[in-house]
Amino acid sequence: MVKGQVAIWRYLFRFADSMVLKCAVELRIADIINSYGQPITLQKIASSISRSSSLDIPSLARIMRLLVRRDIFAAYQPSEGGETLYGLTYASRWLVTGFESNLASMVMMQSHPLLLATWDCIGQCIREGEMPFKKAHGVEMWEMASKNPSFNKLFNDAMECNTKTVMQAILGAYKDGFEFVGTIVDMGGGTGGMIAEIVKANPDVRGINFDLPHVVATAPAYPGVEHVGGSMFESVPAGDAIVLKYVLHTWGDEDCVKILKNCRKAIPETLGKLIIVELVLQPEGNGPFDDIAAIFDVMMFAHQPGGKERTELEWKNLLAEGGFPRYNIIKIPSLPSIIEAYPN
């Protein structure tokens, strides 16, 4: 009974961990410590945040105490009576915005009030069969992004930082997967960060970044990459291979089949393939990302109409119905896996 009570208390206050993590990103604590190149005192952190006399240093100390307990930062006592020094850990390294791969923008997006509000609607939406994001805001996320430039930027920044993280794993574990490919279409490619990295690593490849018009409108120019606006439900630019990173998990099965059939029309009968970068749920798995994948599955329910993560069997059935009877799953050192799918 005591263990059960402890478990409920722990899960009850998980939101506090998220909010304190957001606080660390907002105050740029990881960036500040990293700029010194070594552990530093609380006073140095505080003075780098603000030189205002109103800065609440005692409360900052309490925030740091929790972050140290969560292994986000490390605390060192250099000598008896000396000031505590705070340093980076493997976790807080992912909050340093100066590093190419970081998750700071993802922290800011997932802790944004617009997304947090959707979680409050889950119970009601299960009872009434509605979609939490639309229940909370009256519109779906894509419509919100198209009408709200600041939210659109927040979303694009989060997707870009996640793309950089995943791309390291893809280019390391799947570098041979882009051989013999002339044109690659990144469908739902956002502002083009992923296809730009693929083209950079494979200079002979022509890249097409395909997404909604309001998304590609803010995309920067990249060598060897063409930005194309449109709807994946209408048609897809032709290519030898099509990449879909975190696209299909935002849609229900019926919509995914439509997307897959459009992809099937856009690639060659022979040698054409899909490169799907998505989670493969392992409901009983105990791998390093399996618990996070289960959380992602509920998050997709909260944020997207019909959105969900899928098991291998679900992927197999979905791909077959969409015109891709053959597939191969490649695990990479990241949250998603690579699913190669072939039309024959």
Side-chain angles (χ1 to χ4, degrees):
M1 291 300 293
V2 172
K3 288 182 179 179
Q5 181 186 168
V6 170
I8 295 302
W9 280 115
R10 181 182 297 120
Y11 294 126
L12 172 62
F13 284 110
R14 282 284 172 88
F15 76 91
D17 291 338
S18 295
M19 293 299 99
V20 171
L21 195 62
K22 177 186 180 182
C23 173
V25 175
E26 287 180 325
L27 298 180
R28 299 181 54 254
I29 295 174
D31 286 322
I32 290 167
I33 295 174
N34 182 65
S35 70
Y36 279 86
Q38 61 184 9
I40 58 175
T41 65
L42 185 70
Q43 185 59 52
K44 285 187 176 180
I45 295 174
S47 63
S48 296
I49 293 172
S50 173
R51 296 191 180 278
S52 170
S53 60
S54 63
L55 184 70
D56 189 346
I57 296 180
S59 293
L60 176 62
R62 294 159 71 182
I63 294 296
M64 292 302 294
R65 180 166 59 196
L66 180 57
L67 289 167
V68 167
R69 188 171 182 84
R70 294 293 182 263
D71 294 323
I72 303 299
F73 295 106
Y76 308 94
Q77 202 71 34
S79 60
E80 187 174 347
E83 289 189 70
T84 300
L85 301 177
Y86 295 95
L88 298 178
T89 64
Y90 286 116
S92 49
R93 175 242 178 270
W94 287 93
L95 303 180
V96 178
T97 59
F99 292 159
E100 184 174 2
S101 293
N102 70 81
L103 292 172
S105 294
M106 184 63 73
V107 171
M108 295 306 295
M109 184 188 78
Q110 293 298 342
S111 58
H112 191 278
L114 284 175
L115 293 188
L116 291 179
T118 65
W119 292 94
D120 192 46
C121 301
I122 286 181
Q124 182 180 359
C125 289
I126 288 176
R127 285 194 301 268
E128 300 174 0
E130 296 183 77
M131 187 258 175
F133 191 95
K134 190 170 184 178
K135 183 72 173 178
H137 304 296
V139 296
E140 294 178 2
M141 184 182 289
W142 306 123
E143 187 177 353
M144 174 72 76
S146 67
K147 296 179 177 179
N148 186 327
S150 62
F151 180 72
N152 186 52
K153 184 179 187 307
L154 183 73
F155 181 85
N156 287 339
D157 287 348
M159 293 304 101
E160 184 177 353
C161 86
N162 186 42
T163 291
K164 289 179 179 179
T165 300
V166 174
M167 276 310 301
Q168 285 191 341
I170 292 174
L171 294 177
Y174 191 67
K175 56 186 177 182
D176 296 335
F178 302 108
E179 291 184 353
F180 312 113
V181 175
T183 299
I184 296 180
V185 179
D186 186 0
M187 197 167 75
T191 54
M194 181 171 180
I195 192 66
E197 289 296 319
I198 293 174
V199 171
K200 182 179 179 181
N202 302 271
D204 294 333
V205 170
R206 172 179 175 249
I208 296 176
N209 178 51
F210 180 66
D211 212 312
L212 294 170
H214 77 270
V215 176
V216 298
T218 63
Y222 294 106
V225 175
E226 176 187 1
H227 297 296
V228 177
S231 170
M232 66 184 77
F233 291 104
E234 296 175 2
S235 65
V236 178
D240 302 304
I242 296 176
V243 179
L244 301 96
K245 180 183 74 68
Y246 290 148
V247 171
L248 299 177
H249 77 158
T250 63
W251 302 99
D253 291 350
E254 184 177 341
D255 286 325
C256 283
V257 169
K258 292 178 183 177
I259 295 170
L260 289 169
K261 286 183 176 179
N262 282 338
C263 290
R264 177 68 181 80
K265 297 174 185 176
I267 63 173
E269 180 72 27
T270 57
L271 300 181
K273 66 178 176 179
L274 296 187
I275 303 170
I276 300 169
V277 183
E278 292 272 13
L279 277 67
V280 179
L281 279 178
Q282 303 283 346
E284 307 301 325
N286 57 4
F289 291 107
D290 287 334
D291 189 64
I292 303 169
I295 296 172
F296 258 64
D297 183 39
V298 180
M299 179 185 71
M300 296 313 300
F301 161 64
H303 294 168
Q304 299 293 345
K308 62 179 179 179
E309 306 299 347
R310 294 174 170 88
T311 64
E312 180 176 351
L313 179 59
E314 289 173 319
W315 278 116
K316 178 182 178 181
N317 294 336
L318 189 70
L319 290 168
E321 190 173 353
F324 295 87
R326 190 163 60 91
Y327 72 94
N328 178 39
I329 295 178
I330 302 169
K331 291 187 176 182
I332 58 176
S334 188
L335 180 59
S337 297
I338 292 174
I339 308 171
E340 289 181 320
Y342 304 92
N344 52 49

